[in-house]
């Protein structure tokens, strides 16, 4: 089981190469529309999606509860999709959500602005001004999205196994190189370790969802982290009573782990609504 996570600039052939990889490997290509559908199916309001999906939230959108809910539903969608194995995920910070998996192939597709402009002009019959405006808008939104939700720079090559210039390679050659690399790198040992790690990430995310959405605990930035047989809760709350409740629920939900808290208690902290 290998997982390919792709980050791409607009007009850098992200979808085209992903489809070519799927054809050459038999992997399932999980499109952005597939992820969007999962997020809505899990319970996030469809009418709110456009405020957060692969863009930096506006000032007011960043202050309301839907911002954190979107991130939790997004992470759930990516993790559940990845659990299907042998798949290709594109965009939405999937390479960051899955970064700790040993069987992850994380890629970034880029191309010169002139080439991206030519592609957009041809596809949409735009002029140069319209094409450049689309590039500027998309690049700004994607940088803002990654900084806002993951505190990461999308252009940082350290997050990727490989950065491909798709102005040089066409989709079939790029897909062939990626398919060969995946086969060479993802060993059975890495597959097994990746599967085990993914199971831990899914347990953590489902626990966080239960605490937030079912038990309505107002703990901001809530995360659960598994380290061996230990499970640590992280976040910010306004009372120790709330933290104790979260610990008790977590111990019942995942009794196989020793549950502890690294949640910061700030007495005058008020959760955003």
């Amino acid at each position: 089981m290998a997982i390919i996570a792709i980050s791409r600039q607009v007009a850098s052939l992200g979808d085209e190469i992903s489809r070519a990889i799927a054809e050459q490997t038999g992997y399932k290509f999980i499109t952005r529309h597939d992820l969007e559908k999962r997020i809505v199916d899990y319970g996030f309001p469809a009418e709110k999606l456009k405020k957060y999906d692969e863009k930096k939230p506006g000032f007011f959108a960043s202050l309301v509860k839907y911002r954190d809910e979107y991130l939790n539903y997004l992470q759930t969608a990516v993790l559940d999709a990845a659990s299907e194995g042998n798949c290709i995920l594109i965009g939405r910070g999937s390479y960051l959500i899955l970064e700790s998996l040993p069987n992850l192939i994380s890629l970034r597709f880029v191309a010169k602005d002139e080439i991206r402009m030519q592609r957009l002009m041809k596809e949409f019959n735009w002029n140069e001004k319209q094409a450049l405006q689309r590039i500027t808008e998309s690049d700004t939104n994607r940088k803002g999205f990654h900084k806002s939700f993951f505190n990461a720079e999308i252009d940082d090559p350290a997050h990727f196994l490989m950065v491909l210039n798709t102005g040089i390679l066409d989709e079939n050659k790029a897909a062939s190189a990626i398919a060969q690399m995946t086969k060479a790198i993802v060993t059975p040992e890495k597959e097994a370790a990746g599967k085990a790690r993914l199971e831990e990430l899914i347990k953590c995310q489902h626990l966080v969802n239960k605490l937030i959405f079912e038990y309505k605990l107002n703990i901001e930035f809530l995360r659960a982290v598994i380290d061996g047989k230990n499970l640590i809760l992280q976040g910010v709350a306004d009372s120790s009573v709330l933290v104790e409740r979260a610990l008790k629920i977590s111990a019942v939900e995942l009794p196989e782990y020793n549950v502890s808290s690294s949640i910061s208690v700030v007495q005058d902290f008020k959760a955003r609504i």
Side-chain angles (χ1 to χ4, degrees), residues 32-79:
R32 66 181 183 87
H33 298 297
D34 294 329
L35 285 179
E36 289 170 1
K37 185 178 185 303
R38 287 175 186 255
I39 292 169
V40 173
D41 287 346
Y42 290 151
F44 191 77
E47 67 275 10
K48 302 287 185 182
L49 196 62
K50 64 181 180 180
K51 293 184 178 181
Y52 304 94
D53 205 33
E54 214 159 46
K55 65 177 63 175
K56 180 181 179 180
F59 176 76
F60 290 106
S62 67
L63 296 178
V64 298
K65 65 176 182 178
Y66 291 117
R67 184 262 182 208
D68 291 338
E69 287 187 7
Y70 169 79
L71 180 57
N72 281 313
Y73 283 128
L74 169 64
Q75 292 178 150
T76 304
V78 169
L79 291 169

Side-chain angles (χ1 to χ4, degrees), residues 27 140 148 170 253 267:
Y27 283 23
T140 300
S148 176
D170 64 26
E253 294 292 335
Q267 295 296 334

Side-chain angles (χ1 to χ4, degrees), residues 3 19 36 39 91 100 123 176 228:
I3 300 162
R19 292 191 187 95
E36 289 170 1
I39 292 169
S100 64
E123 181 178 359
S176 179

Side-chain angles (χ1 to χ4, degrees), residues 9 18 50 72 81 87 96 121 158 175 187 218 232 241 263 267:
Q9 293 179 323
S18 296
K50 64 181 180 180
N72 281 313
C87 61
L96 292 167
M121 289 165 65
T187 62
N218 290 323
I232 305 101
V241 173
I263 297 174
Q267 295 296 334

